[in-house]
Amino acid sequence: MSPTAGAPEPVLTDEQQETWFAYMRVALRLTYEMNSQLQRDSDLSLPDFHVLNALADSPGERLQLTALAARISWERSRLSHHLQRMSDRGLVERAPSTTDRRATDAVLTDAGRAAVAAATPAHGAFVRAAFFDGLDPALLTPLRTAMEQVHEQVIAHGTLPRPAQLQHRLPGLTPPG
């Protein structure tokens, strides 16, 4: 139904609605499938993998809890509960911050490093197959640009702080250089 003269514009245009639902279908299904693949192949959940990846890609393989929460877009309380479960499994530990003695760092353990290193190749292969193999390579740069612009808008209108560092690589998937 098209708006009549003088009627307010719809909140979302038809094209925006179709694009939003296309995104939601991908986001919801891809999250489910990635979690399933990780649990099947490595006994890690997708949330575990997010935490381990962020720590593996950080200086000294550690981050203050607030910085880690911002980096993976979680509330601090969710992170705290999840870190406890991961700590119980020996994947991470908490330690006094090296930069602020009032703060606590999450630190990657040897077991966590081994777990993420073992999980990353199969996860990367799954992401390639599920996300990239059917995508026209000419769309990669415009898609990345669009996702970066959307990320900036979410940060501008969201409630979590801006992450101090963004991840661009999966540690252990490709050689540094």
Side-chain angles (χ1 to χ4, degrees):
M1 202 170 179
S2 63
T4 57
E9 286 289 317
V11 174
L12 297 174
T13 67
D14 288 346
E15 184 68 19
Q16 288 169 334
Q17 289 179 59
E18 291 296 326
T19 302
W20 178 249
F21 283 112
Y23 164 77
M24 290 302 298
R25 285 190 300 273
V26 169
L28 294 170
R29 184 61 181 259
L30 189 58
T31 297
Y32 172 85
E33 297 297 348
M34 288 188 303
N35 191 57
S36 179
Q37 176 273 318
L38 282 163
Q39 288 180 340
R40 180 180 60 248
D41 294 348
S42 67
D43 204 28
L44 294 174
S45 67
L46 185 57
D48 293 341
F49 193 73
H50 290 318
V51 170
L52 295 174
N53 251 317
L55 293 174
D57 188 49
S58 297
E61 297 180 329
R62 65 189 301 142
L63 279 171
Q64 283 186 14
L65 298 188
T66 302
L68 177 56
R71 179 143 178 211
I72 62 175
S73 300
W74 286 8
E75 291 178 342
R76 177 94 190 271
S77 63
R78 176 183 180 195
L79 177 63
S80 184
H81 291 294
H82 196 79
L83 284 176
Q84 185 59 55
R85 291 188 294 275
M86 292 179 75
S87 180
D88 292 345
R89 293 165 47 213
L91 299 172
V92 298
E93 60 185 23
R94 294 175 198 230
S97 175
T98 57
T99 59
D100 181 351
R101 59 182 190 186
R102 299 168 297 169
T104 300
D105 287 355
V107 183
L108 191 64
T109 63
D110 290 342
R113 187 179 309 103
V116 74
T120 297
H123 183 65
F126 175 79
V127 169
R128 186 194 64 242
F131 192 90
F132 292 107
D133 282 355
L135 185 64
D136 180 341
L139 295 175
L140 281 177
T141 298
L143 178 60
R144 184 182 68 243
T145 299
M147 292 294 98
E148 289 170 350
Q149 289 176 1
V150 169
H151 185 248
E152 283 302 314
Q153 285 301 107
V154 171
I155 288 172
H157 295 276
T159 58
L160 291 172
R162 175 180 293 279
Q165 177 185 0
L166 296 177
Q167 187 162 346
H168 298 282
R169 302 281 185 272
L170 291 174
L173 188 60
T174 56

